Amino acid sequence: MKVAMIGAGSHVFTRRLVNDILRTPVLEEAEIALMDIDAGRLEVARRVVEGGGGRATVTATLDRGEAVRDADFVVTTFQQGGLEAYAQDIEIPLRHGVGQCVGDTLGPGGIFRGLRTVPVLLDLCRDMDRLARPDALLLNYVNPMAINCWAIERGSGRPTVGLCHSVQGTSEMLAGWLDVPYAEVDYLCAGINHQAFFLQFRRRHEDLYPELRRAVVREDLRGREPVRIELFERFGYFVTESSGHASEYVPYFRRTAEQIERELVPRFTDPGSHWLRQGATGGYLATCREREAEPDPDRGPAQDRGHEYGSYIMEAITANRPVSVNGNVPNRGLITNLVPGCCVEVPCLVDGGGVRPVAVGDLPPQLAALNRACVNVQELAVKAALDGDREAVHQAALVDPLTAAATSPTEIHAMVEELLEAQARWLPQFA
C-alpha cells in the first residue's frame, strides 16, 4: 500500500499522521511518499518519519506526480502561499476593521485561503486521475475545509473525505469537564466543519446535557471557552470548534478591537497551550510564527496512536475493519435543511467498501440557521474559486457574518481589492 503526503513539510500534521500509520499493524509496511515544495522542510519530514521506527518504506520528493503515482491514499496538509500569504489574510483585513483570530475557515482569511488552495487541489486531482490507483481516496486536511471539499466535488468529482479533529477534541474536552471516562461517552454530531453541534451527548443511555448545563456556570470553564458556552446557552447545543475559531463565524463577538480584548482574551489559560491567545486578533498567526522559529522541529513521532481519523480510515478500507468517523462530504440528502451539494460534517461508517456517510435529517432550525449563514459565504467562495469570478469574491465577503458586523460595504470592497492585488501570484484563476 502507498500513502502520498502532499505538503509533508507541515511539522505538526506530518509527525502526527505518520506516527499513526507507523502504529497501525496493517499499515506499518506501507510506502510513505513525502512531497513538499520546500526541500529543507521535506528533509526534516523525512528524518521525522525515519526516526519513528516501524517497517515503512519512506521516499521524499519535490515532484508531486511522482509522490501520487500508484498511491492508494493521498493526504493533503499543505498551506498555499505559506506564512507570507497567511499574514496578509490577517493583517490586511485588520487595517480595514476586521479582526480575525485564526482566519482559516470563514471571513476574509478563509475566503482567500480557499481561493489560493482550490487551484492546487484541482491540479492534484488531475494528477490522481492520471497516476494514482483508480479507487485512490483523497484525505483532505487543508483548510478552509468546507470550501475546499465543495470545490473538489464540483471541480473534479474525485472520491474525497475532509478530516478535522475538532469533533474528537471537543468530545474529549466535554468528557473531562464532566469527569466521565471517555470510553463511556457516545454522541451524535453534525453540521458543517468548525460549526458542527453535538445533537446528542450521552454516557451509555444517560443524557449528559443536563449535567453539562450545570457545569458551564463554573468561572474557569467560562474563562477558557467564553464564546462556545454563550452559544450553548443561547442556541441549546455545544459547538465543535474553540472559542477563538467560533467567534469568527457569527456576527456577535468581534465587532470592535475593544470588544475582542474585553470579552474574548481568556481570563484562565492552560500553561504551555498554544491557545493562550484564544480570541485575540492574530493569535494563531503569532503561534505559527513561533512554530516556524522552533530550533528543533524534527523531533521523532510520539509513541501512542492519536485520535486523527486518517490512519483509522486507511485501516478500515485496507483490512475491512469498520470504524465510525465524522467526515466532511457532499450533502446528498444528509442534512435536509442545508443546501443540497454543500459540504457537511456528519458521521460516516468506513469499511472495505469505502466511506459511507450517514443521513442525519433536519438539524434543529436554530442550528441550521447558523450553518446557512456560513454556507452562503462558502457557496460564493467556491463559485469565485472555480470560475475566476471577482464579483463573487466581493459578494462572499459582503455576506460573511463577521465582516458584515465589523465594517462597511465600502471598506469591504477596498479590503477585497487589496487582498486580490497582494495575492495575485497565488490566484491564477483571476489572471
Side-chain angles (χ1 to χ4, degrees):
M1 190 190 70
K2 182 176 179 181
V3 180
M5 302 192 67
I6 309 302
S10 167
H11 294 162
V12 175
F13 270 124
T14 295
R15 183 179 300 115
R16 188 180 298 163
L17 295 173
V18 168
N19 171 76
D20 291 348
I21 292 171
L22 296 177
R23 303 294 175 264
T24 305
V26 73
L27 308 177
E28 63 182 354
E29 295 185 2
E31 177 185 353
I32 301 175
L34 307 174
M35 182 270 159
D36 201 275
I37 62 172
D38 186 315
R41 294 175 71 92
L42 186 62
E43 174 60 20
V44 169
R46 185 189 63 78
R47 294 201 303 268
V48 167
V49 175
E50 291 184 342
R55 298 192 295 273
T57 301
V58 181
T59 61
T61 179
L62 300 172
D63 185 331
R64 186 176 65 203
E66 187 58 34
V68 167
R69 188 181 304 277
D70 296 325
D72 299 278
F73 300 98
V74 177
V75 181
T76 51
T77 62
F78 64 87
Q79 180 175 243
Q80 178 69 344
L83 205 54
E84 179 184 358
Y86 180 37
Q88 294 172 0
D89 289 344
I90 299 299
E91 292 166 357
I92 291 175
L94 185 59
R95 290 202 292 271
H96 294 272
V98 185
Q100 303 164 100
C101 173
V102 184
D104 68 355
T105 299
L106 220 63
I111 292 167
F112 274 83
R113 185 180 287 236
L115 297 178
R116 296 193 304 271
T117 305
V118 166
V120 182
L121 287 170
L122 294 182
D123 280 346
L124 171 62
C125 288
R126 286 187 280 270
D127 284 349
M128 293 179 67
D129 288 341
R130 291 187 302 111
L131 300 168
R133 295 189 185 278
D135 57 352
L137 178 64
L138 177 58
L139 280 65
N140 178 61
Y141 276 96
V142 180
N143 282 321
M145 181 64 67
I147 291 172
N148 291 341
C149 291
W150 196 346
I152 291 170
E153 167 65 15
R154 280 189 49 193
S156 81
R158 274 213 67 86
T160 307
V161 61
L163 302 175
C164 185
H165 48 250
S166 59
V167 174
Q168 309 96 296
T170 300
S171 59
E172 289 177 358
M173 180 188 77
L174 294 180
W177 285 5
L178 301 179
D179 197 26
V180 173
Y182 189 60
E184 298 178 11
V185 167
D186 185 30
Y187 55 81
L188 172 64
C189 188
I192 60 174
N193 182 240
H194 287 184
Q195 200 184 67
F197 295 88
F198 288 90
L199 305 179
Q200 298 175 7
F201 195 73
R202 300 178 180 276
R203 182 180 190 177
R204 299 191 180 97
H205 299 294
E206 176 193 0
D207 182 6
L208 292 175
Y209 259 126
E211 189 174 343
L212 182 60
R213 291 187 182 92
R214 291 189 291 270
V216 296
V217 301
R218 288 168 43 190
E219 280 301 309
D220 60 331
L221 301 185
R222 300 183 80 85
R224 291 174 190 160
E225 292 290 352
V227 171
R228 286 209 275 188
I229 288 175
E230 181 155 5
L231 290 175
F232 173 41
E233 292 174 334
R234 304 292 183 186
F235 291 90
Y237 296 85
F238 207 89
V239 73
T240 50
E241 198 46 70
S242 67
S243 284
H245 267 296
S247 68
E248 298 179 306
Y249 313 144
V250 290
Y252 318 122
F253 301 103
R254 312 188 67 86
R255 290 173 296 167
T256 65
E258 293 76 16
Q259 182 191 26
I260 292 169
E261 183 65 28
R262 182 178 67 250
E263 298 180 12
L264 294 187
V265 177
R267 292 163 286 171
F268 299 89
T269 57
D270 297 318
S273 169
H274 72 275
W275 290 110
L276 288 175
R277 302 182 189 87
Q278 179 176 214
T281 298
Y284 192 63
L285 174 61
T287 296
C288 291
R289 284 172 167 158
E290 289 171 3
R291 283 179 179 163
E292 193 79 6
E294 282 183 359
D296 182 27
D298 57 339
R299 298 181 298 272
Q303 293 303 305
D304 295 328
R305 191 177 180 187
H307 66 195
E308 295 290 348
Y309 289 136
S311 69
Y312 295 93
I313 290 174
M314 295 178 199
E315 179 183 33
I317 292 174
T318 302
N320 194 25
R321 294 177 183 164
V323 68
S324 177
V325 304
N326 275 67
N328 290 271
V329 293
N331 186 27
R332 299 190 181 111
L334 302 175
I335 298 181
T336 44
N337 53 355
L338 292 184
V339 175
C342 74
C343 179
V344 293
E345 190 169 81
V346 295
C348 299
L349 302 178
V350 189
D351 58 21
V355 179
R356 308 167 187 272
V358 175
V360 174
D362 274 5
L363 293 179
Q366 71 274 26
L367 306 185
L370 288 171
N371 280 179
R372 285 191 206 107
C374 299
V375 171
N376 293 338
V377 184
Q378 295 160 1
E379 184 173 27
L380 286 162
V382 169
K383 177 177 173 19
L386 293 178
D387 300 341
D389 186 335
R390 292 177 70 99
E391 282 305 303
V393 184
H394 284 275
Q395 291 158 358
L398 283 165
V399 302
D400 176 70
L402 167 62
T403 307
T407 192
S408 69
T410 300
E411 278 294 329
I412 294 170
H413 181 87
M415 173 191 71
V416 169
E417 286 298 312
E418 186 175 349
L419 282 163
L420 284 168
E421 181 178 353
Q423 300 193 7
R425 62 184 140 150
W426 299 300
L427 302 173
Q429 66 270 57
F430 300 104

